[in-house]
Amino acid sequence: MPDVNPPRLPAVLPNREHHPMNIRPAGPDDAAAIAAIYNHYVATTCITFEADPVSVADMRERITETLAANLPWLVAEGGGEVSGYAYGSRWKGRCAYRYSVESTVYLDVSKTGQGVGKVLYAALIEALRARSLHAVIGGIALPNEASIALHERLGFEKVAHFKQVGFKQDRWIDVGYWQLLLA
């Protein structure tokens, strides 16, 4: 993967309600806030296939590993609190996949529907583009109309649908994949 410096992000971006929102690179100190956001989805939804809460230490390690791989992990802040995060991770381990990444975005449940996700995810896409990556792949546990709409608003196209590949909360779950070519 080319060694490219991450892009400079604007210090403050407006959300739909015109409250200031800061998008910045995440660091290990954000692990507790990120784990709190994520663990809500682990415990209450099928959006993630993880079944057990993620500890702050494990989340810190995930952030550190992502950054060490020269991939972006961003957080959105509003009012001094982390309101969401997005990151890129390796799509597959084989060398030929090195220009393709999987994208992930999660918001504090109280921040959904306010435009935070769109601004945060767009910033992630630009950070991936700045690293000369070629393809971004977003996996979505189905049904999830809000996530589908977000991906498609940002130019992703559905490329795959796997039936009943996950089992959580006593039911089988389909997964769809949406892809965006950056070049």
Side-chain angles (χ1 to χ4, degrees):
M1 182 177 310
D3 187 13
V4 178
N5 291 325
R8 295 180 149 236
L9 299 172
V12 178
L13 299 170
N15 69 15
R16 228 185 298 174
E17 294 181 344
H18 305 292
H19 297 295
M21 179 177 34
N22 181 38
I23 305 291
R24 63 168 175 79
D29 291 344
D30 294 308
I34 290 170
I37 290 169
Y38 183 62
N39 285 333
H40 163 78
Y41 294 96
V42 171
T44 64
T45 74
C46 295
I47 290 173
T48 174
F49 284 1
E50 214 148 0
D52 298 317
V54 176
S55 71
V56 172
D58 285 344
M59 189 60 75
R60 186 176 298 112
E61 185 175 324
R62 291 177 187 189
I63 295 166
T64 301
E65 287 174 1
T66 298
L67 298 176
N70 193 31
L71 292 170
W73 192 311
L74 305 175
V75 294
E77 288 181 315
E81 294 183 8
V82 173
S83 54
Y85 67 94
Y87 65 94
S89 56
R90 296 189 188 281
W91 170 242
K92 297 277 185 182
R94 303 270 192 269
C95 181
Y97 289 115
R98 70 189 173 278
Y99 297 106
S100 298
V101 294
E102 185 168 4
S103 56
T104 299
V105 61
Y106 283 95
L107 299 180
D108 181 299
V109 70
S110 71
K111 303 299 181 189
T112 60
Q114 298 177 26
V116 175
K118 184 177 179 185
V119 173
L120 177 59
Y121 214 34
L124 176 68
I125 291 166
E126 288 310 309
L128 294 168
R129 187 175 278 122
R131 286 167 170 78
S132 299
L133 294 165
H134 183 71
V136 184
I137 302 155
I140 303 172
L142 302 172
N144 187 336
E145 293 305 316
S147 187
I148 292 169
L150 173 64
H151 282 82
E152 291 181 353
R153 271 195 307 272
L154 292 171
F156 285 74
E157 296 179 72
K158 188 174 184 181
V159 294
H161 187 124
F162 297 103
K163 295 182 179 185
Q164 300 182 7
V165 294
F167 189 81
K168 185 175 177 184
Q169 296 179 337
D170 297 322
R171 68 182 180 97
W172 289 104
I173 304 153
D174 292 2
V175 174
Y177 282 94
W178 276 254
Q179 181 182 26
L180 175 66
L181 296 179
L182 298 173

